[in-house]
Amino acid sequence: MKCPKCQTETPKGKKFCGQCGAKMERICPQCHSYNPPQFKFCGECGHNLTGPTEKEMKVPALDSERKHATVLFSDLVGYTAMTEKLDPEDVKEIMSRIFGEIAQVVTKYEGFIERFFGDEVMALFGVPKAHEDDPVRAIRAAREIHHMVEGMSPKYEATIGHPLAMHTGINTGLLVTGDEYIGKGRHGLTGDAVNLASRLAKLAQAGETLVGQDTYRHAEGYFIFEQLEPKRVKGKEKSVRAYQVIAPSTPRTRFDVSAERGLTPLVGRKRELEQLKDGFERCKAGGGEAFSIVSEAGLGKSRLLYEFRKAVAKEKVTFLEGKCLSYSK
């Protein structure tokens, strides 16, 4: 490139002209005029000469977002014994298999693997994709992960001399996500919900899944829980309430759980309910009827059918019902 002051050819990358000593960095990128080093703006076109460098401009701004999500930490019991008894290559092969199976389980419930580190996995439910039942999905995923590892354990117990098992902590709450790690497949999470989920995982014994109070509140009715004595955890001034997942309840829908807790009065569905009743009367008279009830989630489809069934409960009617889970096939 030529020096704009004396026109001498100067190798690219040189900061000063070898002939006249002019500072090559003060060439205006807008109009290519030479400017003295002390100029902050181009004397010819007024372009800002102190703006960010090309390298700085390539660094994206770090956005953050507040999310309500469920965090799962699951740790392998017996990892230390395994590393002492087995060759590192064998340990790596076993862990790769376990992590591969865990990834499939989390993906099945539409969660996200935040990271694997050592013998622990951290998964998110509600980030980046949110569902109304993310706490339930997280617990179901934890139970499947536990059963999967327990099924693999007999194959290695004789060699290791110790059974393999998982212990899990789950917590729901507000997180702040930053996309500084998105390129690496991570979300850069911060928030108390993350810390408490990790602490609960460390409190859990082999085969146990412990959940925080918010997770319990959202999943109550779907699972049987045992409330534990308040526990002291690192970083918390007060003791925290933890609940151990014992077993799933009788298979039910979200609406079934809501109905058990108590429903609010039905509002704004009188016309639709009357249409169903009229159709029922025509069926009794020998005609055929078919209704399609379609709406966005949470607008009352299940509640409408519930009220219809109550309205005709005294009639001799057989109801046949099929249900699908959003995360199953």
Side-chain angles (χ1 to χ4, degrees):
M1 58 185 294
K2 289 184 179 181
C3 171
K5 188 173 183 180
C6 67
Q7 300 299 309
T8 303
E9 285 290 336
T10 303
K12 188 176 181 181
K14 292 288 185 181
K15 293 184 178 181
F16 299 90
C17 172
Q19 182 68 27
C20 67
K23 193 173 183 180
M24 303 294 290
E25 285 183 328
R26 287 301 181 181
I27 297 174
C28 175
Q30 187 79 16
C31 66
H32 305 291
S33 300
Y34 170 77
N35 289 269
Q38 67 270 24
F39 276 27
K40 294 183 178 180
F41 298 89
C42 176
E44 187 69 25
C45 69
H47 182 76
N48 186 358
L49 300 176
T50 61
T53 64
E54 183 179 355
K55 181 178 180 181
E56 291 171 335
M57 292 175 67
K58 289 181 180 179
V59 179
L62 303 182
D63 297 328
S64 62
E65 188 176 4
R66 295 164 69 88
K67 289 272 191 177
H68 195 80
T70 299
V71 186
L72 176 152
F73 276 90
S74 199
D75 201 355
L76 181 69
V77 177
Y79 179 76
T80 303
M82 183 167 62
T83 56
E84 291 175 350
K85 299 287 181 65
L86 300 181
D87 184 83
E89 289 293 330
D90 294 331
V91 174
K92 181 180 179 181
E93 181 182 345
I94 294 170
M95 294 308 301
S96 296
R97 181 183 172 190
I98 290 175
F99 285 162
E101 294 288 341
I102 288 175
Q104 291 187 42
V105 172
V106 172
T107 301
K108 171 184 173 181
Y109 290 99
E110 298 188 330
F112 178 85
I113 297 290
E114 174 69 8
R115 61 182 179 268
F116 291 113
F117 47 105
D119 59 336
E120 188 175 50
V121 59
M122 176 184 176
L124 306 175
F125 295 83
V127 179
K129 186 176 180 179
H131 309 86
E132 60 186 2
D133 60 345
D134 280 314
V136 176
R137 291 172 183 245
I139 295 174
R140 293 191 188 280
R143 290 179 58 81
E144 283 198 28
I145 290 170
H146 286 209
H147 292 157
M148 178 269 295
V149 173
E150 288 168 6
M152 294 173 58
S153 181
K155 181 178 179 181
Y156 304 105
E157 280 184 35
T159 305
I160 302 172
H162 195 290
L164 296 178
M166 304 296 289
H167 55 108
T168 301
I170 300 174
N171 192 44
T172 302
L174 185 65
L175 311 174
V176 177
T177 67
D179 60 7
E180 62 264 40
Y181 297 114
I182 289 294
K184 300 178 182 179
R186 293 171 58 187
H187 287 80
L189 299 173
T190 58
D192 185 59
V194 178
N195 298 330
L196 185 53
S198 178
R199 301 287 183 251
L200 290 173
K202 289 177 172 57
L203 288 175
Q205 301 299 311
E208 290 183 350
T209 298
L210 301 186
V211 305
Q213 193 160 6
D214 282 347
T215 304
Y216 166 76
R217 183 167 54 84
H218 285 90
E220 183 186 10
Y222 295 93
F223 300 91
I224 300 170
F225 293 93
E226 178 186 349
Q227 182 176 341
L228 306 179
E229 290 293 326
K231 296 181 179 294
R232 298 286 298 178
V233 298
K234 184 179 178 180
K236 288 283 188 179
E237 293 183 4
K238 297 181 180 179
S239 298
V240 300
R241 290 189 178 276
Y243 301 81
Q244 183 181 343
V245 181
I246 303 301
S249 300
T250 304
R252 292 181 294 175
T253 64
R254 181 171 175 267
F255 180 80
D256 294 332
V257 175
S258 298
E260 185 179 272
R261 295 173 179 172
L263 298 172
T264 57
L266 181 68
V267 177
R269 291 289 179 264
K270 184 176 179 181
R271 177 172 172 271
E272 289 84 355
L273 185 57
E274 290 300 323
Q275 284 181 302
L276 291 176
K277 290 179 180 178
D278 290 344
F280 177 68
E281 293 299 325
R282 287 192 290 272
C283 285
K284 286 172 62 179
E289 289 288 327
F291 287 89
S292 179
I293 304 174
V294 182
S295 77
E296 296 291 335
L299 293 186
K301 298 183 294 295
S302 298
R303 178 64 185 274
L304 179 61
L305 292 175
Y306 173 80
E307 296 295 338
F308 170 64
R309 291 183 65 161
K310 281 177 57 179
V312 299
K314 295 181 181 179
E315 304 280 355
K316 293 183 178 179
V317 179
T318 299
F319 281 94
L320 303 178
E321 186 177 47
K323 299 176 181 178
C324 293
L325 297 172
S326 58
Y327 45 78
S328 191
K329 292 183 180 179

